[in-house]
């Protein structure tokens, strides 16, 4: 059995994409996994089944991360079912791209609500409740460094997440809790692929010297490192995982 047995991890946005790969990986590493989702109940149940088939323990938990009450309820449920929470992976996010001049209010508000307020909602609960030795892994993006056109609002939400990451790592002093962020580059999921031409996808895949897109498993490996025993000494950092794009 893995070294992480008895530890509990909440992974937000774990029904699809990178979050699903993280949930499966942490399940293999021995964590009991809370597979959070917003709307994709069937996909979340599939992830739970895969974790169980691999010998792990998991439960699906619906909660819109932008809803503070729903997030509190998800932490309550995890604590009641499993006795506590050790790891929070703040993976849930959306990306709506447009030149700044054309961004409408609804698109701005939604990205702030899910990417920034959603991350804050779960961080606040984690700050209150995470057990000693806990880990927080937030999600930024390499576009914070690249600053490409059309990413102003999305990258703005992620820059704020990076800032909260550093500050919260200091606020956890005395509890042996680390707080880091992972900042992927282009990764083959719905969020990245939807709405892009094959030509654009190919160009972005070649933008790093390894000349391919990231996979959800590439990113899950980085999260597993930060969540596991080898990551103990990394704290308050942003790890860009992008094949060397920036
Ligand atoms: P994805 O394939 O679109 O999956 C998004 C996940 O987030 C889904 O499980 C979705 O749940 C969940 N979600 C969305 N809104 C939610 C909400 N309000 N409450 C709870 N869950 C919610 O995205 P992804 O590519 O895996 O992205 C994961 C993270 O990596 C995001 O934070 C993203 O910004 C970041 N990232 C991705 C890339 C990339 O190239 N893919 C690059 C850099 C950073 P439902 O299925 O229920 O809707």
């Amino acid at each position: 059995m893995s070294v992480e047995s008895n530890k509990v991890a909440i992974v937000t946005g774990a029904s699809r994409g990178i979050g699903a790969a993280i949930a499966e990986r942490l399940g293999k590493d021995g964590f009991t996994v809370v597979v959070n989702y917003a709307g994709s109940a069937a996909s979340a149940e599939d992830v739970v089944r895969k974790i169980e088939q691999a010998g792990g323990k998991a439960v699906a938990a619906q909660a819109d991360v932008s809803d503070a009450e729903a997030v509190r309820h998800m932490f309550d449920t995890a604590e009641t079912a499993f006795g506590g929470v050790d790891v929070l992976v703040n993976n849930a996010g959306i990306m709506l791209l447009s030149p700044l001049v054309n961004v409408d209010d609804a698109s701005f508000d939604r990205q702030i609500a899910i990417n920034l307020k959603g991350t804050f909602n779960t961080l606040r609960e984690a700050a209150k409740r995470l057990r000693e030795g806990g880990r927080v892994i937030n999600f930024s993006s390499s576009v914070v460094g690249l600053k490409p056109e059309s990413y102003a609002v999305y990258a703005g939400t992620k820059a704020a997440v990076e800032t909260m990451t550093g500050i919260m790592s200091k606020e956890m002093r005395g509890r042996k809790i680390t707080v880091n962020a992972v900042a992927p580059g282009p990764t083959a999921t719905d969020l990245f692929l939807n709405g892009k031409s094959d030509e654009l996808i190919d160009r972005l895949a070649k933008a790093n010297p390894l000349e391919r897109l990231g996979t959800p498993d590439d990113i899950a490996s980085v999260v597993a490192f930060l969540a596991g025993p080898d990551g103990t000494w990394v704290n308050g950092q942003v790890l860009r995982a992008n094949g060397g794009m920036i």
Side-chain angles (χ1 to χ4, degrees):
M1 193 56 194
S2 155
V3 286
E4 300 298 353
S5 46
N6 302 322
K7 289 202 174 165
V8 178
I10 294 178
V11 183
T12 69
S15 48
R16 296 182 284 121
I18 293 169
I22 294 167
E24 287 177 41
R25 172 63 193 266
L26 294 185
K28 280 191 190 123
D29 288 354
F31 291 93
T32 296
V33 186
V34 177
V35 177
N36 163 256
Y37 66 98
S40 306
S43 306
E45 290 299 344
D46 275 352
V47 173
V48 168
R49 215 166 304 122
K50 279 188 197 153
I51 293 170
E52 287 172 347
Q53 278 164 2
K57 204 165 146 194
V59 65
Q62 197 282 333
D64 179 340
V65 293
S66 70
D67 177 345
E69 190 48 48
V71 165
R72 270 192 286 276
H73 180 69
M74 175 171 67
F75 273 79
D76 286 344
T77 307
E79 286 181 338
T80 305
F82 306 121
V85 178
D86 302 285
V87 174
L88 167 66
V89 183
N90 256 325
N91 163 82
I94 59 165
M95 181 173 79
L96 306 170
L97 303 181
S98 161
L100 190 147
V101 68
N102 295 326
V103 173
D104 60 55
D105 288 352
S107 151
F108 179 91
D109 290 346
R110 228 178 126 226
Q111 290 180 92
I112 294 286
I114 296 174
N115 296 359
L116 179 51
K117 178 73 170 14
T119 297
F120 164 75
N121 285 336
T122 52
L123 288 180
R124 183 169 54 185
E125 292 312 308
K128 288 177 190 158
R129 306 181 193 223
L130 233 54
R131 291 193 281 220
E132 184 167 296
R135 306 286 169 83
V136 175
I137 296 121
N138 290 323
F139 263 74
S140 179
S141 166
S142 292
V143 296
V144 170
L146 284 164
K147 300 181 178 65
E149 293 96 332
S150 295
Y151 285 75
V153 178
Y154 174 75
T157 65
K158 297 300 193 180
V161 167
E162 291 191 6
T163 300
M164 288 199 297
T165 299
I167 291 171
M168 186 172 164
S169 71
K170 293 176 182 160
E171 293 182 355
M172 293 300 100
R173 179 182 289 273
R175 292 168 59 185
K176 299 186 173 63
I177 291 172
T178 64
V179 186
N180 293 290
V182 175
T187 308
T189 68
D190 293 346
L191 178 140
F192 170 75
L193 297 168
N194 285 352
K196 292 192 176 73
S197 66
D198 289 349
E199 184 270 328
L200 178 58
I201 291 168
D202 196 49
R203 188 151 53 80
L204 290 170
K206 299 237 162 64
N208 70 72
L210 302 185
E211 298 191 310
R212 66 169 176 85
L213 292 179
T215 66
D217 285 342
D218 287 329
I219 308 304
S221 300
V222 179
V223 172
F225 161 69
L226 291 172
D230 289 344
T232 306
W233 195 234
V234 181
N235 192 18
Q237 305 301 310
V238 179
L239 264 70
R240 287 185 181 154
N242 57 30
M245 187 185 199
I246 180 170

